[in-house]
Amino acid sequence: MMQRLPRWVEWGGFLMALNAGFINAVGVLGFRHQAVSHLTGISTFFSIEIMQGDGLQALHLLCVMLFFLLGAMLSGVIIGHEALKLGHQYHWALWLEAGLLATAILLLNTGWHSGQWLASAACGLQNAMTSTYSGAVVRTTHVSGLFTDIGIALGLRLRGQAVDKRRLTLYLLLIGGFVCGGVLGACSFMRWHFNALWLPVGHVAALSLLYFSLRHRAA
């Protein structure tokens, strides 16, 4: 099934994971060590704030989670299908992600914490865009599942079963992209603070134009 995966997916996934790693690093450094590209840590912080009785912070974190969900919903509305396939309206989703991030920057630079909600929505949108194709889960905003899948594949190999090398290559590219993005995001935040997010804005805008070009060439 993995052989049906188009060749552009590997490097497209790498670039999208790079983008998410960058945004998440800025989030961790700028939002009280709270991630925005996935909700595992946010859910734990939310639980802690409820226990400590900090209603305002708990409400803020709830909004972060709900906006991630909203971003995923917007992906469903725009693309209309979960299967990764050339020809879907990914360029519009990418432009919307760029718009959400740009608005987040403007809000964060004026002290509005709601900018974190929009950054989370952008990540939810991106995560939903790259869902599944031919049995391969293409995750670009978090890596826990990728490490799990690699571990399963290696365990099967120890049992003498064949391993899909292309699947492993895809997962390693996604992890590498996320880590590289994190390094770039941390370095950029130290220099430009929240304005570092203008780099992901330009990045996804460029990817939108590239995808639009590929789509029309294939038409």
Side-chain angles (χ1 to χ4, degrees), residues 112-148:
W112 286 85
H113 296 299
S114 55
Q116 185 180 353
W117 308 349
L118 296 183
S120 180
C123 290
L125 172 63
Q126 178 178 316
N127 198 46
M129 280 174 52
T130 55
S131 180
T132 60
Y133 188 94
S134 298
V137 178
V138 185
R139 304 179 181 93
T140 61
T141 65
H142 55 96
V143 297
S144 297
L146 297 173
F147 276 106
T148 300

Side-chain angles (χ1 to χ4, degrees), residues 82-103:
E82 68 173 6
L84 186 60
K85 182 179 180 181
L86 190 66
H88 289 165
Q89 303 294 320
Y90 296 116
H91 55 291
W92 292 118
L94 288 168
W95 277 114
L96 179 56
E97 181 180 353
L100 288 169
L101 288 173
T103 307

Side-chain angles (χ1 to χ4, degrees), residues 151-165:
I152 291 171
L154 294 177
L156 292 174
R157 185 69 183 91
L158 291 175
R159 287 173 57 90
Q161 299 183 29
V163 173
D164 190 328
K165 293 182 179 179

Side-chain angles (χ1 to χ4, degrees), residues 54-70:
D54 191 338
L56 286 178
Q57 183 62 13
L59 179 61
H60 168 69
L61 294 175
L62 177 62
C63 287
V64 172
M65 293 188 287
L66 291 177
F67 270 76
F68 190 96
L69 175 64
L70 175 62

